[in-house]
Amino acid sequence: MTTPLPQSATLRAPPLCLAPMPALRAPWNRLPPGATDCHCHVFEDPVRHPWGAERSYTPRLADRHAYAALCRSLGLERTVQVSASVYGADNRLTLDLIAELGQDRARGVAGIAASTTQAELHALHDGGMRGVRVSTLVKGYGGSEAMAGIAARIQPLGWHLQLHFEHAAEIAALEASLLRLPVPLVFDHLGCVRGSEGVDHAGFQAMLRILQRRDDCWVKVSSWYRRSDAVPGCEDMRPLVQALVDTRPDRLVFGTNWPHPALFAPAQVPVDADLVDQFCDWVPDAQVRRAILVDNPAWLYGFA
């Protein structure tokens, strides 16, 4: 059944995403207590939480109850909700979910606008937000041109800047600027490098250098199925994950990217248990895996 569009949607609505897979099975690998999903979204009733007209995709409904079922199935106990780009600077859904789960189990990453006031930023902090996302790929957040201004505004809060690039080459082009930004940095989705581009890609190498030079830089091991040129096994992504583990295992976090937005036919939505098992296969050391799943998120997002 197709998700109904809110009344504000235009006749030429952005493309409709594929629906997430149900939680079909548990992973073969058991995750440690406190395992954290550091990149995920929920999409609920668009009448109560309307989508922006200027958006890159039209989501399917993927509510908090479906996400909770997924977490139970996978063995995830904590979550970092990234307020989706379709909501722009409207963070009410994310704040509502954090309040429902409690900040011992949930934190968030916000979208903000130039008009967002410092008082509103402080209210977002009190509600459990710990970062702001910018993107050069999807509409709704503001792109790399907004980085310096946002960094200056969020520095007093101790927040990080979450960087979502359309192409990994942008990291190389922005390397000097990224090294100077006065707030912690979190690179989305392995820096958005493609599997066919490989470890030697200039953008990926720039990200590794930033990881080595900045002690407050982090990378999300997430959404690799979107960057792989060898789906479903995604073996071309294994060397990238291994290079990150070899460089800074203490600065990596894991994310499901549920419900996998901005996937369109004929692509296929991944089975979430398969993603967990791929991650565990690529990170076989139990201590490193625990760091990525439990300890690193606790430090980055302020979990107890």
Side-chain angles (χ1 to χ4, degrees):
M1 180 177 178
T2 302
T3 301
L5 298 178
Q7 293 181 354
S8 60
T10 65
L11 293 176
R12 292 186 177 182
L16 181 65
C17 298
L18 295 170
M21 296 283 284
L24 298 174
R25 69 168 180 87
W28 304 119
N29 296 271
R30 179 173 293 183
L31 301 184
T36 308
D37 182 0
C38 292
H39 194 100
C40 47
H41 319 273
V42 293
F43 301 97
E44 299 195 341
D45 179 3
V47 174
R48 183 179 178 190
H49 298 288
W51 309 318
E54 291 295 320
R55 61 184 189 274
S56 297
Y57 59 84
T58 298
R60 301 279 187 152
L61 294 187
D63 66 18
R64 67 192 70 191
H65 305 295
Y67 178 68
L70 175 87
C71 290
R72 289 192 297 270
S73 174
L74 299 184
L76 293 162
E77 297 182 0
R78 299 186 301 205
T79 182
V80 180
Q81 293 285 321
V82 179
S83 190
S85 64
V86 299
Y87 297 114
D90 183 352
N91 296 282
R92 288 175 295 173
L93 175 56
T94 304
L95 291 170
D96 184 39
L97 182 54
I98 294 171
E100 181 176 312
L101 294 175
Q103 291 191 30
D104 58 331
R105 295 176 56 199
R107 293 294 170 102
V109 175
I112 68 170
S115 59
T116 304
T117 67
Q118 288 303 114
E120 288 170 330
L121 289 177
H122 281 281
L124 290 173
H125 184 87
D126 292 342
M129 296 295 192
R130 292 298 180 266
V132 172
R133 195 186 198 200
V134 297
S135 177
T136 63
L137 178 61
V138 293
K139 301 173 184 177
Y141 294 122
S144 55
E145 75 286 348
M147 293 190 308
I150 291 174
R153 298 180 65 195
I154 66 175
Q155 185 181 20
L157 296 167
W159 286 13
H160 64 263
L161 192 62
Q162 184 170 312
L163 307 169
H164 182 221
F165 293 115
E166 183 173 5
H167 302 293
E170 296 170 67
I171 302 175
L174 293 168
E175 182 175 1
S177 298
L178 294 172
L179 285 169
R180 291 195 300 267
L181 285 173
V183 294
L185 307 178
V186 177
F187 288 96
D188 266 1
H189 307 328
L190 304 170
C192 296
V193 65
R194 293 207 63 84
S196 59
E197 293 171 330
V199 171
D200 293 330
H201 184 269
F204 189 76
Q205 286 295 314
M207 186 172 66
L208 293 182
R209 287 193 295 271
I210 295 169
L211 273 174
Q212 291 168 323
R213 294 182 62 180
R214 292 193 60 152
D215 202 42
D216 60 350
C217 177
W218 308 74
V219 178
K220 291 189 178 185
V221 181
S222 58
S223 196
W224 58 84
Y225 57 90
R226 296 187 62 109
R227 277 89 194 158
S228 175
D229 297 296
V231 175
C234 302
E235 281 300 309
D236 55 345
M237 304 303 290
R238 181 193 292 264
L240 300 166
V241 174
Q242 188 58 62
L244 287 166
V245 169
D246 290 344
T247 301
R248 288 301 300 261
D250 59 333
R251 291 297 179 266
L252 306 180
V253 295
F254 167 82
T256 63
N257 198 35
W258 191 89
H260 316 290
L263 276 181
F264 314 105
Q268 293 186 333
V269 177
V271 175
D272 295 281
D274 289 347
L275 296 178
V276 170
D277 285 331
Q278 280 178 341
F279 167 77
C280 292
D281 180 41
W282 296 345
V283 186
D285 186 290
Q287 288 186 322
V288 173
R289 193 186 298 170
R290 176 181 170 81
I292 296 172
L293 290 166
V294 183
D295 301 331
N296 298 349
W299 180 265
L300 176 58
Y301 297 104
F303 290 113

